Amino acid sequence: MTEQLDAGLIGEKIAESGQLSDPGDGLEVGRARRRKEDARLITGRTTWTDNIQLPGMLYVAFLRSPIAHARITRVDTSAARGRPGVVAVLSGRDFAGEQGSLPCAWTVTEDIVVPDHPPMAADEVRYVGEAVACVVATDRYKAADALEAIEVDYEPLEAVLDMTEALTEGSPKVHEAGNRAFTWKFSGGDVDAAFRDAPVVIERTYVQQRLIPSAMEPRAVVATTDGAAFTIYSATQIPHVLRVMLALTTGIPEHLLRVVAPDVGGGFGSKLQVTAEEVLCLLLTRRLGKPVKWTESRSEGNLTVHHGRDQIQRISVAAERDGRIRGVRVDLLADMGAYLMLVTPGIPLLGAFMYNGIYKMDAYDFTCTGVFTTKMPTDAYRGAGRPEATFAIERAVDELAHELGMDPLEVRRRNWITHREFPYTTVAGLTYDSGNYEAATDRAMALFGYDKLRAEQADRRDRGDPVQLGIGVSTYTEMCGLAPSRVLGSLSYGAGGWEHATVRLLPTGKVEVVTGSSPHGQGHETAWSQIAADALGVPFEDVSVLHGDTAIAPKGMDTYGSRSLVVGGVAVLHACEKVKDKARRLAAHMLEASADDIEFSSGAFTVRGTSQGKTIQELALAAFAAHDLPDGFEPRLDADVTFDPENFSFPHGTHLCAAEVDTETGMVRIRSYVAVDDVGTVVNPLIVEGQVHGGIAQGVAQALFEEAVYDTDGNLLTTTMADYLIPSAADLPDFITDRTETPATSNPLGVKGVGEAGTIASTPAVVNAIVDALRPYGVDDVPMPCTPERVWRILADSGAAPARPAAAGWGGAGESEGGLR
Amino acid sequence: MPRITVTVDGITYEEEVEPRLLLVHLLRDRLGKTGTPIGCDTGNCGACTVMLDGRSAKSCSVLAVQADECDVVTIEGLGRNGGLHPMQRAFHSEHALQCGYCTPGMIMAAIDLLRDTPDPSDEAIREGLEGNLCRCTGYSNIVRAVRRGAREMSGETPATTPGPASATTSGPASGEEVRTS
């Protein structure tokens, strides 16, 4: 089942020609179902956390440090207390003894430094934006007003901003224990031998700039108590993890704490966190006995929602003259920011197993040092470690191709795992279960018009066209479906990677699916309905999906790491199978036949060779009535499953980007972008295409637009959406997407996950295209984001004019010499 | 405190407001119109876009007092008689939303765009929606949805419009499949 679609544009087909991607087998899985979720989202009947209003509710505002690093010498809240509508004003010292320390669940080495991280700073602040006091008032305006009346005296300390300098002797320290959080090493094969006498060695340093995840919904928290138990509503991706962590942090017993993730407006990893504000709102409702709400402003969010990326990557590739890669060596510095948050130290290590990409090689060596700085902590952002790894290897392979004078796709072909070699255990120790890199690449090249674009590129180079054309290649894979619990344990992660599902047949034959994954835009309600409808033989419309509330879905590991379908969706399937096993037993009893003689098809159980049967709906009612059940049969048709995967899944694909670079202005325009992804079996092609589109957009954004910028004193300069450039529709091209399909062998659905693929693949595709355009100018790198100014300066600094015929015109200007100087 | 009269989704309200109260906070906190969300506070993201006397406005950048004597339409008042506006249907049909946070503003901005340009090119749609940010979709499906919405609003029925999409449906046909046969 490869090449599921003949033409590329799924959406175009739907919109323009009405053809469909229905496999035509009568099954729900594979159908382009429109989403159940949309009904409330397109009509404004959503429940965002900030929409929640409770009687007597109070509003919280936080005073935040304006200094990157300082000792707090005095906090005076007395004037603020007298302001109108103010109920309470509290500083860090007021929470001493109850606020604990924000958790880090991924202590990657034995000797890792895990600094104390009070939700509200009491003695020292270590980044701009760290909370130092709060006001609780009767409305949000009054709370904000009273912040102005709080006086805080700071004794400034030196900011620590540069990772390399932070590791030198004599650097000011972020924490007493020093600025090195950990050093983590991993090795496979004899890397020294691979580099010894290697005919070609490519050595490069790449900077993964700091990014601000920027989910459209700002964070918000509502906390309330009835005097005994507590409920917290939060714009979070992880209600289940949050419940455990809040119980451990605050001492509120877990069974008296309910966490609700209502409608959540995007996350991209940024809401995979246990935040200071969640802890403090819970403590405030406990202290005041009233419901409290906090909603961040965007500026507050840019300062204090954890940031992503921020690594310096040194990568070396040893190769033969024929292009065969012998080994790869990676030395990474990863900026932790000021503290280790929930999975901060583990993020770069999620990339550690991916620097070898889709390539065969003899040896690989990886070292990562986590470094403290006086900036907002980093943590998961879409792809989390894997985009960084993919960027480095895909950029380096392009450099190798250039060094050898080979086409970048040819170098890849000479090194990648061929489809006959799966399952394949890589030099990093992972076993890739399935894939077909040749098929995806061939398809992408055909859709892209690769040879024609290369010809145009050559022509523009010959003509000395001021607008040069570059072609960028990215052939990626990623480890998804986080994660087998044993593997997480071996990596010192604090929890497992299983997922839970409950499937209940109701008396009327309708179905409730309860999932432990926690959607915030992914469309679980639709996709899980498709899975359950097929498995149980019930109509898609008869399934509802419940999630995001620990009182309704008490068990779960939530949504991140492209895990929902691969782990949570598979759990749903297994739970349906268990329900079906029970129903089969009941059917056998009612039909007076042996269970072995009962066949299941299209929602009905029949005695083999007869027309005698019972529908699953009839069985549901019979189980409810419980008048005539087999001995020992519990009167219910429902089942729980907790599924723990045995392996990761490995989506892959080939992305090709054609970029026009105006050598006179530095402006980059993406002319065309083709993505052919293999995410295994597709449950809903509409949702998959949407995930790919959005993923590509975020990866392109890293390549071209986005960067969190701190000044030399540690002040964040990009605190608004005017300063931090999230691309608009006008900044992005249409994406041409298609798929190949090699089912995963590690789960019964054959699914691989799709949430992060686009982001992982697209950043190197774009930068490779820009560098490819500028090769004639002697350019071999452009640091991200590749803004017009940066591109222009690099061209100016390169001092090289492109090699071109002297007679060629120069954009009609009549010049025949020069170029950018 | 100034007293204002403002009509929101067909209902007239008389409210005493602080001069600094933002229109979006009047809508959300006082009138319960939480269908209009806030995304950025600086007028960049457009999530809070509503119709103010028939033209799109970012309600985080308008004071409530400025809306005195004005007619405001939010996403909640867009459909007639409990039905859906063609643009709402188009966003559903083309899977032009994921988390849905930007969607109310995006739909409002799209409708306003079509007032000036009833049959926009893809480029005109992209330029026209520049003030509304979406972090989930990469915009491709939003562009398709606006094209579809434009066709439906001009009375032309797209060849592939599925049956249930009529102005009198009480909600989107959840899970309705994208197929014609």
Side-chain angles (χ1 to χ4, degrees):
Chain A
M1 213 157 96
T2 56
E3 304 272 329
Q4 191 186 28
L5 291 171
D6 291 324
L9 304 168
I10 300 162
E12 286 296 334
K13 279 184 134 183
I14 289 157
E16 306 298 350
S17 70
Q19 296 177 40
L20 66 150
S21 49
D22 186 339
D25 51 11
L27 295 175
E28 283 294 337
V29 169
R31 279 190 177 177
R33 282 284 191 186
R34 289 170 185 174
R35 296 197 319 170
K36 293 183 171 187
E37 291 84 347
D38 292 357
R40 62 184 187 276
L41 297 168
I42 58 174
T43 54
R45 289 177 292 196
T46 344
T47 309
W48 312 116
T49 299
D50 185 61
N51 294 6
I52 295 168
Q53 295 284 102
L54 299 172
M57 182 177 265
L58 302 172
Y59 296 79
V60 182
F62 291 99
L63 185 69
R64 299 185 177 279
S65 171
I67 303 176
H69 196 191
R71 209 161 280 129
I72 300 169
T73 54
R74 187 182 71 103
V75 183
D76 185 349
T77 57
S78 54
R81 284 173 208 271
R83 289 294 185 97
V86 170
V87 175
V89 187
L90 300 158
S91 68
R93 299 224 166 137
D94 298 314
F95 289 107
E98 64 169 335
Q99 69 171 344
S101 181
L102 291 173
C104 174
W106 205 338
T107 48
V108 297
T109 60
E110 291 284 328
D111 62 350
I112 186 172
V113 175
V114 183
D116 192 42
H117 186 186
M120 185 173 281
D123 302 312
E124 193 167 321
V125 289
R126 295 183 176 87
Y127 64 92
V128 170
E130 192 167 0
V132 296
C134 68
V135 172
V136 187
T138 52
D139 78 38
R140 60 177 102 221
Y141 284 56
K142 291 186 174 80
D145 285 349
L147 291 180
E148 293 171 6
I150 301 172
E151 289 179 26
V152 184
D153 290 344
Y154 297 96
E155 182 185 305
L157 301 167
E158 281 185 86
V160 180
L161 302 168
D162 181 277
M163 280 194 277
T164 310
E165 284 175 21
L167 292 175
T168 57
E169 283 286 323
S171 165
K173 290 179 181 176
V174 182
H175 298 279
E176 265 312 300
N179 297 334
R180 183 189 301 270
F182 65 88
T183 296
W184 190 91
K185 290 173 181 290
F186 175 82
S187 203
D190 187 344
V191 80
D192 290 333
F195 277 80
R196 198 176 304 127
D197 307 321
V200 185
V201 173
I202 301 291
E203 289 183 355
R204 293 287 186 274
T205 298
Y206 298 120
V207 175
Q208 293 283 327
Q209 79 270 34
R210 184 174 272 254
L211 299 178
I212 300 177
S214 305
M216 289 311 299
E217 181 203 20
R219 288 179 302 159
V221 182
V222 169
T224 185
T225 179
D226 62 3
F230 295 82
T231 300
I232 182 163
Y233 303 84
S234 183
T236 180
Q237 296 173 223
I238 53 160
H240 299 92
V241 174
L242 183 59
R243 183 192 195 198
V244 177
M245 288 299 175
L246 285 175
L248 292 172
T249 306
T250 64
I252 291 173
E254 188 181 354
H255 65 296
L256 299 179
L257 179 59
R258 172 185 170 207
V259 177
V260 185
D263 285 320
V264 176
F268 316 110
S270 72
K271 293 170 180 170
L272 163 53
Q273 193 53 271
V274 177
T275 66
E277 293 83 1
E278 287 164 332
V279 172
L280 293 168
C281 284
L282 198 53
L283 299 179
L284 285 169
T285 198
R286 178 164 74 177
R287 184 181 281 246
L288 301 170
K290 295 278 187 190
V292 300
K293 174 154 80 179
W294 167 75
T295 304
E296 75 184 358
S297 68
R298 180 59 62 179
S299 300
E300 215 176 4
N302 279 15
L303 284 167
T304 65
V305 173
H306 71 242
H307 293 170
R309 314 282 190 259
D310 206 344
Q311 300 176 358
I312 299 171
Q313 310 170 293
R314 282 198 314 188
I315 182 167
S316 311
V317 177
E320 308 288 354
R321 276 268 146 220
D322 65 3
R324 195 183 68 78
I325 297 171
R326 294 166 61 148
V328 168
R329 193 181 264 147
V330 175
D331 192 356
L332 197 64
L333 293 182
D335 193 337
M336 304 286 101
Y339 301 96
L340 303 183
M341 295 194 74
L342 190 62
V343 289
T344 301
I347 297 304
L349 309 192
L350 284 172
F353 306 94
M354 290 276 102
Y355 278 89
N356 51 301
I358 63 170
Y359 310 114
K360 295 176 281 190
M361 60 189 71
D362 305 326
Y364 167 58
D365 185 82
F366 173 90
T367 302
C368 173
T369 298
V371 185
F372 290 115
T373 59
T374 52
K375 299 180 190 173
M376 180 64 208
T378 56
D379 209 313
Y381 173 56
R382 200 169 192 171
R386 290 153 292 159
E388 297 94 311
T390 303
F391 182 89
I393 186 66
E394 289 303 292
R395 283 285 297 109
V397 167
D398 259 34
E399 294 301 307
L400 176 63
H402 177 68
E403 175 72 23
L404 297 171
M406 290 171 66
D407 185 285
L409 278 165
E410 182 54 30
V411 172
R412 286 167 169 84
R413 281 185 196 281
R414 290 187 186 189
N415 286 287
W416 70 35
I417 303 156
T418 65
H419 70 278
R420 290 183 196 83
E421 294 175 279
F422 290 97
Y424 184 90
T425 300
T426 71
V427 70
L430 295 176
T431 300
Y432 296 177
D433 62 329
S434 70
N436 190 334
Y437 308 140
E438 304 95 312
T441 301
D442 290 347
R443 185 79 190 121
M445 288 175 76
L447 285 169
F448 191 65
Y450 188 83
D451 295 336
K452 205 173 157 196
L453 282 165
R454 281 283 179 218
E456 181 184 334
Q457 176 184 48
D459 179 55
R460 288 199 192 205
R461 282 182 181 176
D462 287 346
R463 284 191 286 116
D465 192 327
V467 179
Q468 288 287 315
L469 181 68
I471 293 169
V473 178
S474 172
T475 50
Y476 77 99
T477 188
E478 50 166 338
M479 53 191 258
C480 282
L482 307 182
S485 296
R486 283 181 185 173
V487 176
L488 290 177
S490 73
L491 293 172
S492 310
Y493 183 61
W498 46 263
E499 193 48 271
H500 190 79
T502 299
V503 171
R504 293 194 285 261
L505 267 174
L506 305 178
T508 56
K510 309 297 184 192
V511 178
E512 280 179 343
V513 172
V514 183
T515 179
S517 55
S518 196
H520 37 283
Q522 294 88 347
H524 292 21
E525 292 166 31
T526 304
W528 281 208
S529 295
Q530 291 177 268
I531 293 168
D534 275 358
L536 298 173
V538 300
F540 169 81
E541 295 77 12
D542 285 2
V543 185
S544 75
V545 178
L546 309 175
H547 57 78
D549 180 342
T550 60
I552 291 170
K555 283 171 177 281
M557 275 294 178
D558 307 317
T559 288
Y560 43 84
S562 302
R563 71 186 305 272
S564 286
L565 178 60
V566 184
V567 192
V570 171
V572 170
L573 178 69
H574 284 313
C576 289
E577 295 299 334
K578 259 174 117 168
V579 168
K580 229 160 60 182
D581 287 344
K582 282 187 185 176
R584 182 189 304 277
R585 226 182 113 204
L586 179 56
H589 174 77
M590 292 175 74
L591 296 166
E592 299 180 339
S594 160
D596 294 338
D597 291 331
I598 300 291
E599 292 177 327
F600 177 79
S601 175
S602 302
F605 294 86
T606 50
V607 182
R608 184 175 294 120
T610 76
S611 59
Q612 268 193 301
K614 294 282 179 193
T615 65
I616 200 161
Q617 290 84 358
E618 288 171 326
L619 294 168
L621 188 61
F624 170 73
H627 295 162
D628 181 20
L629 302 178
D631 291 341
F633 191 97
E634 279 188 73
R636 60 192 178 103
L637 280 184
D638 49 49
D640 295 314
V641 162
T642 304
F643 171 67
D644 199 341
E646 289 177 359
N647 193 4
F648 298 94
S649 57
F650 300 96
H652 71 83
T654 297
H655 287 215
L656 298 173
C657 175
E660 289 179 348
V661 182
D662 188 326
T663 57
E664 293 175 342
T665 65
M667 187 73 188
V668 174
R669 187 179 83 90
I670 295 179
R671 193 166 101 188
S672 66
Y673 193 101
V674 168
V676 176
D677 296 284
D678 191 328
V679 298
T681 304
V682 169
V683 173
N684 184 321
L686 266 192
I687 291 176
V688 164
E689 192 198 31
Q691 287 287 327
V692 170
H693 284 170
I696 295 171
Q698 279 182 21
V700 170
Q702 177 174 9
L704 296 182
F705 304 116
E706 297 182 17
E707 181 174 25
V709 182
Y710 282 88
D711 71 10
T712 51
D713 295 321
N715 299 301
L716 185 70
L717 301 180
T718 48
T719 55
T720 71
M721 283 183 167
D723 308 299
Y724 187 83
L725 205 166
I726 306 229
S728 76
D731 299 316
L732 293 171
D734 207 15
F735 307 118
I736 298 167
T737 61
D738 198 359
R739 295 189 304 274
T740 56
E741 195 169 313
T742 49
T745 62
S746 53
N747 66 70
L749 280 171
V751 295
K752 297 182 180 177
V754 68
E756 297 160 299
T759 306
I760 289 169
S762 59
T763 311
V766 174
V767 177
N768 276 341
I770 294 166
V771 173
D772 186 52
L774 301 179
R775 291 278 186 204
Y777 296 78
V779 172
D780 70 359
D781 193 29
V782 179
M784 297 186 291
C786 305
T787 59
E789 181 188 343
R790 281 220 172 123
V791 172
W792 186 87
R793 281 189 191 284
I794 279 166
L795 280 168
D797 293 346
S798 75
R804 60 191 173 80
W810 191 248
E815 282 184 36
S816 60
E817 294 290 326
L820 281 163
R821 297 276 167 195
Chain B
M1 241 190 288
R3 171 179 288 269
I4 63 166
T5 303
V6 58
T7 302
V8 180
D9 296 336
I11 297 172
T12 302
Y13 299 86
E14 279 193 13
E15 293 286 322
E16 285 192 351
V17 297
E18 276 190 77
R20 62 175 177 168
L21 182 72
L22 298 175
L23 175 60
V24 72
H25 284 141
L26 174 76
L27 294 172
R28 292 179 53 80
D29 294 349
R30 298 269 286 269
L31 307 184
K33 289 283 177 184
T34 51
T36 302
I38 303 171
C40 74
D41 322 301
T42 48
N44 295 98
C45 85
C48 63
T49 304
V50 297
M51 293 294 179
L52 191 63
D53 283 343
R55 299 313 302 249
S56 68
K58 293 177 177 177
S59 60
C60 79
S61 305
V62 177
L63 295 168
V65 290
Q66 292 175 288
D68 189 21
E69 303 292 327
C70 287
D71 183 57
V72 177
V73 178
T74 77
I75 190 76
E76 297 171 59
L78 202 53
R80 301 262 177 235
N81 306 319
L84 292 175
H85 188 280
M87 193 59 79
Q88 288 172 309
R89 279 204 309 275
F91 269 64
H92 174 58
S93 298
E94 296 291 356
H95 185 39
L97 62 151
Q98 290 179 30
C99 85
Y101 200 80
C102 74
T103 307
M106 199 67 80
I107 287 175
M108 291 304 192
I111 292 169
D112 194 39
L113 166 70
L114 297 184
R115 249 183 70 137
D116 297 327
T117 319
D119 183 22
S121 64
D122 283 6
E123 198 185 347
I125 293 169
R126 287 181 178 276
E127 293 292 333
L129 295 180
E130 200 175 22
N132 289 71
L133 300 177
C134 169
R135 194 60 158 165
C136 295
T137 65
Y139 303 102
S140 285
N141 289 354
I142 290 176
V143 173
R144 290 170 192 166
V146 176
R147 247 196 277 138
R148 176 189 280 259
R151 284 199 304 269
E152 294 198 11
M153 286 167 72
S154 70
E156 179 193 333
T157 307
T160 58
T161 303
S166 76
T168 53
T169 48
S170 59
S174 296
E176 125 210 12
E177 196 186 343
V178 181
R179 64 181 301 175
T180 51
S181 53

